């Protein structure tokens, strides 16, 4: 299968579903990772261009660990709005990947970039096969299944599906640690909520918590989009 993970920012995918992606990759599936923005406000010292380029390189390094193709649509972090060009670019990106499964943000989250990314994916899923919607990439011949991953900090989130990532947890950790620029930035931007050492620890805590809920050491939780053209009679998560 073709598996696509779409995050608003570099590091969103690693925090929320990199273990599942690593598991898919071990099974021989094709993995794509896309970020809507470059994360170009994520530094207190570098210019927007500098930190944007650095974060895209960190995301590419992370994707390479599992042999995934990384793409960035290069919109501005926290100033991401939808218009016709944005919608067409997202449709074109999905048509390039031809996904069977999409992992993306929960529709309800603290960050507007997260919520808009989720909304766009949900909106365009049924548009992918429509020939009259013109993009550089050809229309798809199928509708992908959508799974929403954790909102930030997991508040109010009750998974419907779990993936045991115990055997891929070290890979998930390595992928997240590629985002070296964000450890100090999170402590700077969200002082009182984050410290330099919580970037990895928060991820480990959540993976352990979801693992406890389903009886394994580490897990990732998802909610499957349960709408027309988004359901199948079989499980597609690994």
């Amino acid at each position: 299968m073709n598996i696509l993970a779409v995050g608003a920012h570099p590091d969103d995918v690693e925090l929320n579903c990199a273990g599942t992606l690593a598991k898919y990759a071990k099974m021989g599936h094709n993995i794509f990772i896309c970020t809507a923005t470059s994360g170009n406000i994520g530094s207190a010292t570098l210019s927007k261009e500098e930190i944007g380029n650095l974060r895209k390189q960190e995301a590419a390094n992370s994707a390479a660990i599992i042999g995934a193709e990384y793409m960035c649509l290069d919109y501005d972090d926290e100033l991401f709005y939808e218009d016709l060009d944005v919608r067409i670019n997202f449709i074109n990106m999905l048509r390039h990947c031809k996904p069977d499964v999409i992992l993306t943000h929960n529709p309800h989250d603290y960050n507007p970039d997260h919520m808009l990314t989720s909304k766009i994916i949900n909106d365009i899923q049924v548009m992918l096969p429509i020939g009259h919607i013109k993009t550089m990439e050809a229309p798809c011949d199928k509708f992908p299944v959508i799974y929403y991953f954790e909102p930030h900090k997991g508040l109010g989130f009750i998974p419907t599906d779990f993936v045991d990532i115990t055997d891929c947890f070290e890979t998930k950790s390595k992928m997240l640690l590629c985002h070296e620029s964000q450890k100090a930035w999170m402590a700077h931007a969200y002082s009182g909520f984050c410290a330099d050492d919580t970037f990895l620890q928060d991820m480990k805590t959540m993976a352990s918590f979801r693992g406890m809920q389903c009886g394994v050491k580490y897990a990732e939780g998802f909610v499957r989009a349960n709408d027309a053209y988004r359901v199948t009679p079989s499980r597609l998560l690994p």
Side-chain angles (χ1 to χ4, degrees):
M1 296 190 295
N2 294 334
I3 312 300
L4 169 63
V6 186
H9 315 102
D11 78 20
D12 286 337
V13 165
E14 286 80 357
L15 282 166
N16 296 297
C17 67
T20 299
L21 294 180
K23 197 158 187 171
Y24 272 129
K26 285 177 66 175
M27 297 167 67
H29 299 295
N30 305 309
I31 313 299
F32 301 85
I33 298 173
C34 179
T35 57
T37 80
S38 63
N40 61 354
I41 66 163
S43 174
T45 57
L46 300 176
S47 70
K48 289 177 68 175
E49 181 179 8
E50 289 171 330
I51 188 58
N53 288 335
L54 176 58
R55 295 198 69 189
K56 286 187 286 185
Q57 185 59 59
E58 289 173 340
N61 294 343
S62 169
I65 291 174
I66 58 170
E69 178 181 338
Y70 171 68
M71 299 158 284
C72 180
L73 298 181
D74 243 351
Y75 296 109
D76 283 332
D77 190 353
E78 307 305 323
L79 297 173
F80 173 41
Y81 296 94
E82 186 181 11
D83 58 18
L84 179 60
D85 286 342
V86 168
R87 180 161 286 207
I88 291 297
N89 286 339
F90 265 81
I91 293 172
N92 188 66
M93 181 271 292
L94 261 65
R95 286 176 169 176
H96 168 75
C97 300
K98 296 180 173 54
D100 296 279
V101 174
I102 298 175
L103 311 177
T104 195
H105 290 283
N106 193 274
H108 305 288
D109 206 341
Y110 87 106
N111 185 280
D113 293 350
H114 294 186
M115 291 188 290
L116 181 55
T117 299
S118 180
K119 176 185 179 298
I120 293 171
I121 294 299
N122 187 69
D123 287 350
I124 67 176
Q125 184 257 16
V126 294
M127 302 177 186
L128 301 181
I130 300 174
H132 284 309
I133 299 177
K134 302 298 183 183
T135 61
M136 292 179 62
E137 298 283 349
C140 297
D141 60 359
K142 58 194 170 188
F143 295 119
V145 174
I146 300 173
Y147 289 92
Y148 302 119
F149 48 64
E150 300 263 0
H152 194 53
K153 307 290 188 182
L155 292 171
F157 185 69
I158 301 177
T160 59
D161 295 85
F162 293 84
V163 176
D164 180 358
I165 63 163
T166 305
D167 61 341
C168 294
F169 182 77
E170 291 305 317
T171 301
K172 177 182 172 78
S173 299
K174 289 176 183 177
M175 292 175 70
L176 182 60
L177 287 174
C178 286
H179 296 274
E180 179 67 27
S181 69
Q182 293 312 287
K183 290 192 293 183
W185 166 246
M186 293 299 291
H188 168 82
Y190 301 100
S191 59
F193 291 92
C194 299
D196 286 351
D197 62 348
T198 63
F199 189 59
L200 183 64
Q201 185 59 45
D202 282 358
M203 180 277 286
K204 184 175 182 178
T205 298
M206 186 62 70
S208 179
F209 176 58
R210 296 304 179 198
M212 177 269 293
Q213 290 181 318
C214 65
V216 299
K217 186 173 183 179
Y218 297 116
E220 290 171 341
F222 300 89
V223 168
R224 184 171 179 162
N226 190 27
D227 307 293
Y229 306 108
R230 294 177 175 87
V231 294
T232 69
S234 58
R235 176 182 166 97
L236 295 178
L237 289 173

